[in-house]
């Protein structure tokens, strides 16, 4: 947690959450930027053969893309509250195939209320082209 803002998660704390979760750790996510003022979280996701849609296709399967979007949206809202949050609702639109590329997820918090938070997540390939977008709603109620 950030010393200046004890209720908020900084980059190191978010990365520690990622690394402690067996599922999230399997995605190999790396926090790139935490911006509390702009309510934005940026995370890199490297391509791995386990994520392929078809063997040796180098094309991402939609499942890992959805998992990345959900996880990054979750922690964008949760970074303000100091913890990960349960997902209430989630959707993703796949815009184009992600082939032979690492990805960058950029989440922006749209609402962080007393009971519900919402984040939009843009997923870019390594040329900066948008490959998927997602929106998710999370419970912000105290645990």
């Amino acid at each position: 947690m950030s010393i200046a803002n004890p209720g908020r998660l900084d980059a190191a704390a978010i990365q520690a959450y990622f690394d402690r979760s067996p599922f999230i750790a399997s995605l190999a996510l790396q926090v790139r930027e935490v911006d509390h003022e702009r309510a934005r979280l940026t995370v890199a996701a490297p391509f791995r053969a386990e994520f392929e849609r078809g063997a040796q296709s180098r094309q991402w399967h939609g499942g890992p893309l959805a998992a990345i979007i959900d996880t990054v949206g979750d922690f964008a809202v949760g970074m303000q509250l100091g913890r990960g949050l349960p997902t209430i609702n989630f959707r993703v639109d796949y815009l184009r195939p992600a082939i032979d590329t690492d990805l960058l997820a950029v989440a922006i918090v749209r609402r962080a209320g007393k009971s519900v938070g919402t984040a939009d997540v843009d997923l870019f390939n390594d040329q900066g082209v948008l490959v998927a977008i997602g929106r998710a709603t999370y419970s912000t109620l105290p645990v």
Side-chain angles (χ1 to χ4, degrees):
M1 283 198 189
S2 171
I3 296 171
N5 295 300
R8 293 181 171 185
L9 297 177
D10 62 15
I14 295 170
Q15 189 65 57
Y17 270 100
F18 288 176
D19 296 342
R20 280 194 309 266
S21 166
F23 178 74
I24 297 173
S26 76
L27 298 172
L29 301 178
Q30 296 295 314
V31 177
R32 293 289 183 247
E33 180 186 22
V34 172
D35 186 336
H36 287 284
E37 277 60 47
R38 293 168 68 189
R40 186 170 72 183
L41 174 62
T42 304
V43 174
F47 177 79
R48 296 178 51 191
E50 297 88 351
F51 301 153
E52 283 183 310
R53 182 171 176 254
Q56 299 179 354
S57 68
R58 306 273 310 155
Q59 180 176 349
W60 284 77
H61 184 282
L65 298 181
I68 291 164
I69 289 169
D70 183 32
T71 300
V72 176
D74 177 328
F75 279 89
V77 177
M79 71 185 189
Q80 306 290 51
L81 303 174
R83 67 190 192 295
L85 305 168
T87 305
I88 296 172
N89 193 21
F90 174 77
R91 72 165 281 146
V92 61
D93 292 322
Y94 301 99
L95 305 177
R96 62 186 42 85
I99 302 172
D100 200 21
T101 185
D102 295 334
L103 300 172
L104 190 68
V106 180
I108 298 174
V109 177
R110 299 299 181 192
R111 175 173 166 69
K114 292 181 182 179
S115 60
V116 173
T118 301
D120 288 331
V121 183
D122 291 338
L123 198 57
F124 299 95
N125 67 17
D126 56 13
Q127 321 241 264
V129 177
L130 191 62
V131 298
I133 55 176
R135 172 169 278 183
T137 305
Y138 306 94
S139 173
T140 59
L141 292 170
V143 215

